[in-house]
Amino acid sequence: MPGGGVHVDIPKDLVGAAARRRLLPFIGSGFSKNISAEFPDWKGVVDIAADILKFDRDLLRIHGDYLQIAEYLEVVNGGIGDLANKLVTLIDDERMFDVGKSRPHLLLPYLDCESIFTTNWDRWIERAFDDQGWPYYRIRNTADLADPTLNRPPASNVQIFGKVKFDATRYNHPTRVVKLHGDLSDHSSLLIKESDYFRRMDFEDPLDIDLRSRIYGKSVIFIGYSFSDLNVRLMWSKLCRVLANTKKPAQSFFLTAQRNPVMERLLSEQHINVVQLDPMRIGENLTYLLECILDAQEKGNA
């Protein structure tokens, strides 16, 4: 049994979706905290912008949210390149951080998923595939979507879930890692400014259409998001309209260490089951849950 001593109440529908290869992971910035708790949140992004602008941090936060501040930075600084480059150092630098310290990341390649969607700009999901020696596609923009390149990392001698063999047991080969909000390696792909979000609110970008086309019959599992993330709630509301004519939408799941009975009830109306994590043991809980999912996959092969 995975995760000795750690327990999470995992819904049977989640285990069943894993066994049938019907999971679609949707990963947010909270998941990256498994690499380092020091990664900046949105307050930290504003602080970086303030330093670039030589603006008092507390005063700048009063004048706008991070989307508006990034917009302002582009207007007065001629672009967001300085901000993006600083973020590379703070959240995406392999010289400072080690993906091997996050077992939840290293377990992701073993999920037999057609796609992993993420709003993260960093490349730690892809580095987990590299570390474990699993091929994958990285899709950052429309060009990647039209002509994806298969990344073939060398075989790893330290695979952490050795019971799974790529060629023998996977239904989906290989996984697509779709960066819905872009990637720090391509500044033009980043959704970081207010105008970027306004442009995507119609949900008609090719990456959004790709998400819509792949969600039918899938159980989405949200990892690393907060109840307060309005962007994810808006996206799911639009997806629910797409799925409105589905006779029986698949049950989806929202992993959280927060407790909010109001949001739990509202999400249940949208076919999302909240899975509660221990706020003091989030990393251990995620490891336990992912290992249970992998066990379900293995049993589904039998």
Coordinates of all heavy atoms in Angstrom, one line a residue, residues 126 137-146 148-149 176-180 182 207 210:
E126 N 8.0 19.0 -17.2 CA 8.8 18.4 -18.3 C 10.1 17.8 -17.7 O 10.5 16.8 -18.2 CB 9.1 19.5 -19.4 CG 7.9 20.1 -20.1 CD 7.4 21.4 -19.4 OE1 7.0 21.4 -18.2 OE2 7.5 22.4 -20.1
Y137 N 5.6 15.3 -25.3 CA 5.5 16.5 -26.1 C 5.3 17.7 -25.2 O 4.5 17.6 -24.3 CB 4.3 16.4 -27.1 CG 4.3 15.3 -28.1 CD1 3.6 14.1 -27.9 CD2 5.1 15.5 -29.3 CE1 3.7 13.1 -28.9 CE2 5.1 14.5 -30.2 CZ 4.4 13.3 -30.1 OH 4.5 12.3 -31.0
R138 N 6.0 18.8 -25.5 CA 5.8 20.0 -24.8 C 5.1 21.0 -25.8 O 5.7 21.3 -26.8 CB 7.1 20.6 -24.3 CG 6.9 22.0 -23.5 CD 8.2 22.5 -23.0 NE 9.1 22.9 -24.1 CZ 10.2 23.6 -23.8 NH1 10.5 24.1 -22.6 NH2 11.0 23.9 -24.8
I139 N 4.0 21.5 -25.4 CA 3.2 22.4 -26.3 C 3.0 23.7 -25.6 O 2.2 23.8 -24.6 CB 1.8 21.7 -26.6 CG1 2.1 20.4 -27.4 CG2 1.0 22.7 -27.5 CD1 0.9 19.6 -27.7
R140 N 3.7 24.7 -26.1 CA 3.7 26.0 -25.4 C 2.9 27.1 -26.1 O 2.5 28.1 -25.6 CB 5.1 26.6 -25.3 CG 6.2 25.7 -24.7 CD 7.6 26.1 -25.0 NE 7.8 26.0 -26.5 CZ 8.8 26.4 -27.1 NH1 9.8 27.1 -26.5 NH2 9.0 26.3 -28.4
N141 N 2.6 26.8 -27.4 CA 2.0 27.9 -28.3 C 1.4 27.2 -29.5 O 1.4 26.0 -29.6 CB 3.1 28.9 -28.7 CG 4.3 28.2 -29.3 OD1 4.2 27.2 -30.0 ND2 5.5 28.7 -28.9
T142 N 0.8 28.0 -30.3 CA 0.1 27.5 -31.5 C 1.0 26.7 -32.4 O 0.6 25.7 -33.0 CB -0.6 28.6 -32.3 OG1 -1.5 29.3 -31.4 CG2 -1.4 28.1 -33.4
A143 N 2.2 27.2 -32.6 CA 3.2 26.5 -33.5 C 3.5 25.1 -32.9 O 3.5 24.1 -33.7 CB 4.5 27.3 -33.6
D144 N 3.7 24.9 -31.6 CA 3.9 23.6 -31.0 C 2.7 22.7 -31.2 O 2.8 21.5 -31.4 CB 4.2 23.7 -29.5 CG 5.6 24.3 -29.3 OD1 6.4 24.4 -30.2 OD2 5.8 24.7 -28.1
L145 N 1.5 23.3 -31.1 CA 0.3 22.5 -31.2 C 0.1 22.0 -32.6 O -0.3 20.8 -32.8 CB -1.0 23.4 -30.9 CG -2.3 22.8 -30.9 CD1 -2.4 21.7 -29.8 CD2 -3.4 23.8 -30.6
A146 N 0.5 22.8 -33.6 CA 0.4 22.4 -35.0 C 1.4 21.3 -35.4 O 1.2 20.4 -36.2 CB 0.5 23.6 -36.0
P148 N 4.0 19.4 -33.0 CA 4.7 19.1 -31.8 C 6.0 18.3 -32.0 O 6.0 17.5 -32.9 CB 3.7 18.3 -31.0 CG 2.8 17.7 -32.0 CD 2.7 18.7 -33.2
T149 N 7.0 18.6 -31.2 CA 8.2 17.9 -31.2 C 8.3 16.9 -30.1 O 8.0 17.2 -28.9 CB 9.4 18.8 -31.1 OG1 9.4 19.8 -32.2 CG2 10.7 18.1 -31.1
R176 N 1.2 14.5 -23.7 CA 1.3 15.9 -24.2 C 1.3 16.8 -22.9 O 0.3 16.8 -22.2 CB 0.2 16.3 -25.1 CG 0.0 15.4 -26.3 CD -1.4 15.5 -26.9 NE -1.6 16.8 -27.5 CZ -2.5 17.7 -27.1 NH1 -3.2 17.5 -25.9 NH2 -2.7 18.8 -27.7
V177 N 2.3 17.6 -22.7 CA 2.3 18.6 -21.6 C 1.9 19.9 -22.3 O 2.7 20.5 -23.0 CB 3.7 18.7 -20.9 CG1 3.6 19.7 -19.8 CG2 4.1 17.3 -20.4
V178 N 0.7 20.4 -22.0 CA 0.2 21.6 -22.7 C 0.2 22.7 -21.8 O -0.4 22.7 -20.7 CB -1.3 21.3 -23.2 CG1 -1.8 22.5 -24.0 CG2 -1.4 20.0 -24.0
K179 N 1.0 23.8 -22.1 CA 1.2 25.0 -21.3 C 0.2 26.0 -21.7 O 0.5 26.9 -22.6 CB 2.6 25.5 -21.5 CG 3.7 24.4 -21.5 CD 3.9 23.8 -20.1 CE 4.6 24.6 -19.1 NZ 6.1 24.8 -19.4
L180 N -1.0 26.0 -21.1 CA -2.1 26.9 -21.5 C -1.7 28.4 -21.4 O -2.2 29.2 -22.1 CB -3.3 26.6 -20.7 CG -4.1 25.3 -21.0 CD1 -5.2 25.1 -20.0 CD2 -4.7 25.4 -22.4
G182 N 1.5 29.5 -21.5 CA 2.8 29.8 -22.0 C 4.0 29.2 -21.2 O 3.8 28.5 -20.2
L207 N -5.1 26.7 -28.2 CA -4.9 25.9 -27.0 C -6.1 25.6 -26.2 O -6.3 24.5 -25.7 CB -3.8 26.5 -26.1 CG -2.4 26.6 -26.7 CD1 -1.4 27.2 -25.7 CD2 -1.9 25.2 -27.1
D210 N -8.2 23.1 -28.1 CA -7.6 21.8 -27.9 C -8.1 21.2 -26.5 O -8.5 20.0 -26.5 CB -6.1 21.9 -27.9 CG -5.4 20.6 -27.7 OD1 -5.5 19.7 -28.6 OD2 -4.8 20.4 -26.6

